Amino acid sequence: MKILKAGADYSPDARSSIVAAVLLGIVANISFIIQPGLVGGFVEGLGLGEQQAGELAAAEMFGIAIATIVLSLASLKVNWRASFLFFSAVAIAGNLVSAYMTEFSDLVLARLLSGLGHGGLISLSFSAVGLTSKTDRNIGIYLAVLLSYGAVGLLAMPSLMATIGLKGIFINFSLVVLIGIGLVGYLPDQAKNEEEVPEASEPLNIKLLVPALLGYLAYNISQGIVWAYLFLIGVSNGLEEQVVANALFVSQIFGVLGALIAIVVSARVVGRFAPLTIGILGGAVFIALLLLKVDYFIYLIAVCGFNLMWNKVLPFILAAISDFDLRGRVMPFALAIQMFGLAVGPYIASQIVGDGDYQAVELASIFFFILGYFLLIVPIMMRKQRQKLELKKAL
């Protein structure tokens, strides 16, 4: 593949720009995508309680949410490449500080700082993908590559904890971010200007967009509630740590499969009702399996199905939301909502988790799955129906 000279004012659809955004997605999400392993590491490696481990995960996610919210408001005004360099420096600092913190309160602040850095990187890399003309496909590619890293990372976590520990893991996070700076020149400079948007694009419908974004928030709360504790849920049911890591590795492969399905199955052909319904409610069904008496087989089916549905439906949700505004203003805001939901989720879970009992966590996740589905599907389908009516009038 021929990579264009860095520093050019790239179109989001340039191949080199898409490749850079996808690879930078790994750099940005390097911690979050293996969060269950890290939460397990906080418990096993630092001797923290389950509630404290969940609060650490929430602290990082709140940092990510804050950064994505800031960028969602400023994304049309700031230079994306300069912003990426700034947030890279923050992420490097946060991870290096985390490597040397031993007190819980200090580590909370360090992970919050790290989250601020990674949140900026996540927003910029994801927004670059969101501006492409083939959003569904490119988000699917983004997720497939990211989940491939996550699969290897979760599989290796027990071995990494035994060899280099959390300190070594955090130092390596910093090194990866440092290396990723070399790709910044391939990102677009900024979001699309108004004159770059097709004249025929419809005006932003706030009345439909707001409930859709609230649904997306509820959906991501459901993910955040259960994702942080998946590793400990397996261990609490008598499974060995490496066995749980192996299951999560397989689940990430299913996540990649889900992303690939989203690439192949075009929303223009099948519509979005079926993918959204199957993906969201199907995810709730797989989490419900964890309410049963869990053995390895049930745990494997539950985590694999959960990851499959999550990553199959996410490109369709984001593409549907991004369609509300072709200028690219909605995507950064949707990402901010996503990260806020993924931050609120672990915090909610940390407050309701029992001592080795995760039933309340699982039930809360299922509730937010269902709530998110209805809040999302109604405005998305109403917008689609209005488009059809307007098309008939035009003909």
Side-chain angles (χ1 to χ4, degrees), residues 91-394:
I92 290 171
N95 285 311
L96 286 177
V97 172
S98 298
Y100 295 95
M101 293 296 102
T102 55
E103 295 295 326
F104 174 72
S105 58
D106 295 334
L107 191 53
V108 167
L109 293 177
R111 295 321 295 159
L112 178 65
L113 179 64
S114 177
L116 286 169
H118 283 283
L121 306 185
I122 290 170
S123 180
L124 293 165
S125 62
F126 218 93
S127 295
V129 175
L131 285 182
T132 61
S133 58
K134 297 181 179 179
T135 308
D136 306 63
R137 185 202 68 178
N138 291 329
I139 290 177
I141 293 172
Y142 182 103
L143 292 175
V145 173
L146 180 60
L147 288 165
S148 297
Y149 151 72
V152 176
L154 286 170
L155 181 66
M157 275 300 291
S159 297
L160 291 173
M161 284 297 301
T163 53
I164 63 176
L166 279 173
K167 178 178 179 180
I169 290 171
F170 288 139
I171 290 174
N172 276 283
F173 285 172
S174 294
L175 291 174
V176 171
V177 176
L178 183 63
I179 294 171
I181 290 176
L183 294 170
V184 174
Y186 298 101
L187 287 179
D189 273 336
Q190 59 186 25
K192 291 180 180 179
N193 296 317
E194 192 166 355
E195 57 268 20
E196 297 178 86
V197 182
E199 292 182 6
S201 60
E202 63 184 297
L204 192 62
N205 191 323
I206 299 296
K207 291 182 179 180
L208 293 181
L209 178 61
V210 169
L213 290 175
L214 288 175
Y216 192 48
L217 173 63
Y219 176 73
N220 282 288
I221 289 174
S222 73
Q223 307 295 326
I225 286 174
V226 75
W227 176 242
Y229 282 98
L230 273 185
F231 188 92
L232 293 178
I233 288 173
V235 173
S236 71
N237 282 280
L239 303 178
E240 296 181 0
E241 290 183 13
Q242 189 59 58
V243 171
V244 173
N246 294 344
L248 290 174
F249 166 75
V250 176
S251 80
Q252 291 291 80
I253 294 175
F254 273 81
V256 173
L257 178 61
L260 293 175
I261 290 173
I263 296 171
V264 174
V265 180
S266 170
R268 297 180 183 87
V269 175
V270 301
R272 290 191 172 122
F273 179 80
L276 291 175
T277 301
I278 295 171
I280 299 175
L281 297 184
V285 169
F286 283 109
I287 293 303
L289 290 178
L290 295 173
L291 294 169
L292 306 174
K293 185 176 180 180
V294 177
D295 55 18
Y296 176 72
F297 184 65
I298 290 177
Y299 180 77
L300 181 65
I301 291 176
V303 297
C304 287
F306 167 75
N307 243 326
L308 175 70
M309 294 298 158
W310 184 2
N311 293 285
K312 182 184 76 67
V313 77
L314 185 57
F316 289 101
I317 297 176
L318 286 172
I321 290 175
S322 69
D323 283 349
F324 279 92
D325 177 38
L326 298 180
R327 191 180 173 191
R329 292 169 294 180
V330 172
M331 183 61 82
F333 193 65
L335 184 62
I337 288 176
Q338 176 184 0
M339 294 306 159
F340 183 70
L342 292 172
V344 172
Y347 181 77
I348 291 174
S350 71
Q351 301 306 302
I352 63 176
V353 65
D355 185 12
D357 182 7
Y358 297 92
Q359 187 177 65
V361 171
E362 293 148 5
L363 287 172
S365 178
I366 293 168
F367 168 77
F368 279 101
F369 261 117
I370 297 171
L371 176 63
Y373 170 73
F374 285 106
L375 286 173
L376 272 167
I377 199 68
V378 173
I380 288 174
M381 299 315 297
M382 283 181 65
R383 177 183 173 275
K384 189 68 175 178
Q385 190 62 33
R386 288 186 181 184
Q387 283 182 319
K388 289 181 179 179
L389 291 175
E390 289 173 3
L391 181 60
K392 286 182 180 180
K393 290 180 180 179

